[in-house]
Structures are given as structure tokens and as C-alpha cells.
Amino acid sequence: MNHEVIRCEGLCVELGGAAVLRDLSFSVDEGEFLAVVGPNGGGKTTLLRVLLGLQKPSSGSVSVFGAQPGNSPGRTGYVPQRLFFDRDFPLGVMDAVLMGRIALKTPFQRYSKADREAAGEALRTVGLSSLANRRIGALSGGELQRTLIARALAGKPELLLLDEPTASVDPEMKTTIYDLLDRLRKSMTILLVTHDTGTVSRFVSRVLCLNCGMVQREAPSSRPDGQAIEQAYPYKVDLLVHHADRGRKPTSKS
């Protein structure tokens, strides 16, 4: 029996007097790959901030590994949608990935041989070993995104949270990143925020449709439900379903 990694019960978050999350309840078990989809402003990034312990709920309860969010930083890896930085700053790829080990260190403690080995392993996992000494300012969008994933993996997390990791990459790199996540799901629990409602259905265990509150939580291996998608998005979304007997998977476009 898998252990419960995340549990939200009646989660509500208000920001500036507006409800960003409203009465949200769901759980994620160990080994699951959950996709959270929904429109901009639907509360997806706020949910990640709550799970990271960066945003306090207005009401309701949240636990990660059975404790308050933020109490197990070494067990949780986070990949942001984008990284804002000075591209002229002389920071190398290996140095950026080593930052994923900081949560495991005491203040002013130097990186150890084990830290560097973990960072090297993370770079091999994402296929960037050859770029270890390159400046991150010289990376393409896809290479930078894989560097951010490697940074999260360097800490050897049990839970990986990703905020739209394919938002700024080309279609070919999207496929590469999803294939990588498909491999990673064998060793960790993954919660992915995404707009790729069709593409992601090939990889995930469940899809949570979120627009302030939960519109629908789909069962494992189910195809995206058109009505749930329409309820989650305030604009038109066309759902294109291919025949399963031809080995095709559902896709969508907006």
C-alpha cells in the first residue's frame, strides 16, 4: 500500500480579499504523477506555494509527508516556470545545479564530494553532462529548463513539484522533458502544473482540473473529459480524441 504524500482538506487561500483557492480537497499517494490543469489565475501556482510552505492557507488543512508544508525541504524538489537572472552573471551550470543541495547543508558549509557527485548524477539524468562548465546565460530555453530540473533532482527529492516546465520551450524539447518526467516517476512522486491538457494525458496517473476550486479529478488512465475542461477554462478549448485502438492518445488545443 502506497503512503500518502500530500493531503489538502478544505484548502482556502485569499489574497487581497479575493479567493484564489476555495474549498480544495485532494490527496496524492506515493509514486503518483498528478497533473494540475486550469486557466491562468485559477490558483495553480498558489497551490504549489502552499505545498512549499511559502503561502499560508486562509483556512483548511494541508500536509506534506504528514507534516506542515515546508518542514521537509530535503524531501521536496521544486522546478519554477522560469528563472529571472542576469545572463551576464558568470554562473556555471554545475554551480546552478549544486544549489539544489543547499537545503541539506548547514549555513556556510562547503559543498562536499557527495554534493558534487549528486549534482553530476542529476546532470546525467537530464542529459546535460557535456554542458556542466557552460554559463547558464548561454543556454537555450530548453537547456535552462533541464538545468532547473537537475537542480531540483540534485537534492534527491521524494516529491517533485513543477510549475509549467514546458511553457517557454519548443515542441521537440517539450517531448524531451515529458519523456524525462515519465522516467522519473518510477523513483518519485510528481505533481505537475501544466497547460498541455492533451499531451500530458499520455504520462500522468490523474488530472486535477482547477479553477479556484476543483472542477474534476480524473481517474488513472482516463482521457480528459471535455465537460470538465470547459468548466475549468473560461475560454474555448477544443478536445481532439484519437482512437485508442490505433495506439493514439488524446490531444487538445486552445
Side-chain angles (χ1 to χ4, degrees):
M1 181 177 178
N2 290 339
H3 298 291
E4 194 172 75
V5 176
I6 297 171
R7 172 165 287 277
C8 292
E9 292 285 354
L11 172 63
C12 295
V13 175
E14 291 188 3
L15 298 176
V20 179
L21 291 174
R22 182 174 55 249
D23 196 26
L24 179 62
S25 298
F26 73 98
S27 63
V28 181
D29 289 338
E30 183 180 32
E32 279 201 272
F33 187 170
L34 176 69
V36 180
V37 303
N40 291 331
K44 303 185 302 297
T45 296
T46 298
L47 173 60
L48 291 183
R49 287 178 54 81
V50 170
L51 297 176
L52 290 166
L54 302 176
Q55 175 67 53
K56 297 295 184 183
S58 302
S59 61
S61 63
V62 183
S63 66
V64 179
F65 295 112
Q68 290 293 318
N71 285 0
S72 306
R75 302 176 72 182
T76 302
Y78 171 61
V79 180
Q81 180 178 149
R82 59 179 61 90
L83 182 66
F84 297 98
F85 64 99
D86 183 352
R87 284 190 170 270
D88 293 326
F89 188 78
L91 179 68
V93 169
M94 174 60 81
D95 295 323
V97 175
L98 277 168
M99 291 179 179
R101 303 288 295 178
I102 289 177
L104 306 175
K105 314 294 289 182
T106 58
F108 307 110
Q109 185 180 8
R110 293 179 178 272
Y111 291 125
S112 65
K113 180 181 178 181
D115 294 327
R116 297 187 180 280
E117 289 176 347
E121 180 182 347
L123 282 172
R124 287 192 295 274
T125 298
V126 302
L128 290 183
S129 294
S130 62
L131 302 184
N133 296 319
R134 182 173 296 185
R135 287 191 304 106
I136 62 170
L139 298 178
S140 68
E143 290 167 345
L144 179 58
Q145 204 59 40
R146 282 191 286 164
T147 298
L148 296 179
I149 294 174
R151 182 180 66 174
L153 296 180
K156 305 287 186 179
E158 300 169 47
L159 170 65
L160 185 62
L161 305 176
L162 304 101
D163 191 359
E164 299 193 41
T166 63
S168 58
V169 301
D170 58 47
E172 183 178 355
M173 186 54 64
K174 281 187 179 184
T175 300
T176 299
I177 290 175
Y178 282 129
D179 287 341
L180 169 61
L181 295 179
D182 193 41
R183 297 196 303 271
L184 292 175
R185 67 182 298 183
K186 299 172 184 177
S187 59
M188 64 187 66
T189 305
I190 300 176
L191 189 152
L192 168 71
V193 165
T194 181
H195 280 295
D196 295 333
T197 55
T199 303
V200 77
S201 65
R202 286 178 281 174
F203 302 96
V204 301
S205 307
R206 287 184 293 142
V207 177
L208 189 156
C209 299
L210 180 64
N211 189 358
C212 293
M214 187 170 65
V215 176
Q216 179 170 318
R217 182 177 60 190
E218 298 192 10
S221 301
S222 66
R223 70 188 188 196
D225 179 82
Q227 184 177 2
I229 295 295
E230 289 179 359
Q231 290 174 350
Y233 287 85
Y235 43 82
K236 183 179 180 180
V237 176
D238 296 323
L239 188 67
L240 307 180
V241 180
H242 300 277
H243 293 295
D245 58 355
R246 296 182 181 177
R248 300 291 186 87
K249 299 293 183 179
T251 59
S252 67
K253 65 180 182 179
S254 59

